[in-house]
Amino acid sequence: MQSFEICREMAMLVIVAGIDKELVLGALLLLLYLQSGLVMAGLPPTDRPAVYGFDHLDHASAHGLNYGFYKDTCPEAEAIICSTVREFYWRDPSIAAGLLRMLFHDCFVQGCDASLLLVSTPGRVCERDAIPNANSLRGFEAIFSAKQKLEQICPRTVSCADILALSARESVLLAGGPYFPLATGRRDGLTSIAKLAEVNLPNPFDNITALISSFTRRGFEVADMVALLGAHSIGHSHCRFFRSRLYNFSGTGFPDPTINKQYLELLRKVCPCCNSPSVDATMSLDLGSENRFDSSYFRNLEEGKGVLRVDQELVTSNVFVASIVGEYSIDENAFFQQFAKAMMKLSNMDVLTGYKGEIRRDCSFVS
């Protein structure tokens, strides 16, 4: 929905339904703030996107975050972060998937505290070197570049956690996905432990039951989970995470019967059976649309063209989950609405605010 339409509908609510005027005014001011942020980011009027997630605005304040947190202390912060991400995106669009994955892997461990960005030191193995993350995370250079620029004009003001969250949102937008309000005020964590990542991050070999459990115990609805998996609309996966589906599914000695037969042939060409462990090719998670954030991922699942086991099980193992996939496959707007809501919820997970944590000078090291 475009901003003018939102304003008109809010005005009608005030007049006809008697909705709290202060609440509506606050939402309108937020809308103006978001639009001004898009102007500062350099987007021409015709390219400014619809804004999703207005029904989830109160979730941020409940976690101690605020919209426009840096408007007085570093008013150019969000514009600098967005422009930096765009610079890297135009060089390599695949960085969008990397930044989005990085946010997910950060927030699911100790909350959205940028602990994923800390480097390991002798005697301390950090999250970025944990088994699910080692040699597979991408996007650090964009985060570090934005931080370096911000430190020059607003020293020790903008957290690495906020830079990561805003960068992930910008990545979704650049790839064609929804734009949503994102409150700021996160602070950076002081610890990073590899084992916590190995315990808390969903396993790519998990079945749908394990995945639902992982998400629901963190407060997500099943629809949130399906929408967040829609992030697989962009990006790739290494063969090591799905090769067993192609040759020895669940120890049967046969491929996963749910894989489309023609698609199986393609996957096997990319990932031969006895490939050397040192040669680990990658496969697009969304055939034909790997750099475009859209609903084609869900349509591919309905055709048996899911790469990871958990992707395909969204349509084969649970009727309710499959019905959500069906909805998103034909209604991209519904997918975008739910994804925006889920991302707002994700980016608020266990955040540090106030005097907790710190604001790092360098995102790789505790100050």
Side-chain angles (χ1 to χ4, degrees):
M1 183 182 295
Q2 298 299 323
S3 54
F4 172 77
E5 294 171 336
I6 294 173
C7 291
R8 182 180 61 189
E9 291 198 7
M10 287 183 172
M12 291 301 296
L13 284 172
V14 171
I15 296 169
V16 178
I19 300 296
D20 189 310
K21 294 181 181 179
E22 291 186 2
L23 178 62
V24 175
L25 178 60
L28 287 171
L29 288 173
L30 171 60
L31 177 62
L32 291 173
Y33 166 75
L34 289 168
Q35 292 298 320
S36 67
L38 292 170
V39 172
M40 289 178 65
L43 291 175
T46 54
D47 291 340
R48 290 173 205 155
V51 180
Y52 293 81
F54 273 94
D55 58 344
H56 206 57
L57 295 178
D58 59 340
H59 195 269
S61 58
H63 290 79
L65 302 176
N66 295 291
Y67 295 99
F69 181 82
Y70 297 110
K71 63 182 174 60
D72 296 321
T73 57
C74 193
E76 296 180 61
E78 294 195 23
I80 289 172
I81 294 166
C82 291
S83 64
T84 301
V85 173
R86 285 205 308 278
E87 290 172 11
F88 281 88
Y89 178 84
W90 296 130
R91 290 180 217 159
D92 179 10
S94 68
I95 197 173
L99 288 167
L100 186 53
R101 180 172 183 261
M102 196 183 295
L103 178 68
F104 181 86
H105 280 223
D106 181 49
C107 295
F108 247 58
V109 180
Q110 297 187 100
C112 305
D113 64 350
S115 55
L116 182 68
L117 303 179
L118 293 172
V119 297
S120 299
T121 58
R124 185 191 71 178
V125 182
C126 291
E127 293 170 34
R128 65 191 289 179
D129 292 317
I131 292 172
N133 297 326
N135 303 315
S136 67
L137 295 175
R138 297 185 62 246
F140 290 105
E141 61 274 23
I143 302 296
F144 297 158
S145 178
K147 179 62 171 175
Q148 187 176 38
K149 294 175 184 177
L150 290 167
E151 284 299 301
Q152 292 175 357
I153 62 170
C154 309
R156 296 294 296 275
T157 301
V158 182
S159 70
C160 300
D162 276 342
I163 294 173
L164 178 54
L166 290 166
S167 295
R169 180 188 63 181
E170 186 68 11
S171 295
V172 172
L173 176 62
L174 288 169
Y179 183 87
F180 48 89
L182 194 62
T184 44
R186 298 166 190 77
R187 289 171 67 84
D188 300 323
L190 302 174
T191 61
S192 182
I193 303 170
K195 288 189 176 180
L196 290 180
E198 292 164 4
V199 169
N200 287 286
L201 289 175
N203 190 314
F205 304 105
D206 280 346
N207 59 31
I208 192 65
T209 302
L211 194 69
I212 290 174
S213 176
S214 178
F215 275 84
T216 55
R217 71 170 178 264
R218 290 174 170 84
F220 290 98
E221 301 170 8
V222 173
D224 294 329
M225 179 198 76
V226 178
L228 287 173
L229 279 177
H232 287 178
S233 173
I234 53 177
H236 297 72
S237 176
H238 288 269
C239 290
R240 67 179 182 270
F241 294 127
F242 62 88
R243 184 178 279 112
S244 62
R245 290 189 70 214
L246 313 182
Y247 302 98
N248 188 26
F249 181 62
S250 297
T252 62
F254 297 96
D256 184 340
T258 65
I259 303 176
N260 177 290
K261 286 182 171 55
Q262 289 73 35
Y263 193 51
L264 175 62
E265 293 178 9
L266 173 62
L267 291 174
R268 283 180 162 179
K269 288 179 181 177
V270 175
C271 306
C273 174
C274 302
N275 209 5
S276 168
S278 63
V279 180
D280 190 18
T282 61
M283 181 67 189
S284 164
L285 289 169
D286 185 14
L287 183 66
S289 182
E290 60 266 27
N291 289 323
R292 181 72 183 173
F293 194 100
D294 55 24
S295 57
S296 68
Y297 161 78
F298 298 107
R299 291 189 289 277
N300 278 334
L301 296 185
E302 293 182 316
E303 296 175 5
K305 297 176 181 177
V307 175
L308 301 176
R309 172 180 179 174
V310 73
D311 287 331
Q312 198 56 57
E313 285 197 357
L314 290 177
V315 295
T316 61
S317 298
N318 185 297
V319 174
F320 174 62
V321 175
S323 71
I324 299 173
V325 171
E327 178 186 5
Y328 294 166
S329 72
I330 61 174
D331 188 348
E332 189 167 85
N333 188 63
F335 165 44
F336 280 10
Q337 290 280 10
Q338 194 68 38
F339 183 82
K341 173 185 172 183
M343 282 295 291
M344 292 168 74
K345 191 181 294 187
L346 172 71
S347 62
N348 296 338
M349 283 179 61
D350 299 322
V351 293
L352 302 175
T353 58
Y355 294 99
K356 296 178 181 178
E358 65 171 3
I359 305 296
R360 295 180 205 146
R361 291 188 183 90
D362 183 326
C363 292
S364 297
F365 304 96
V366 174
S367 298

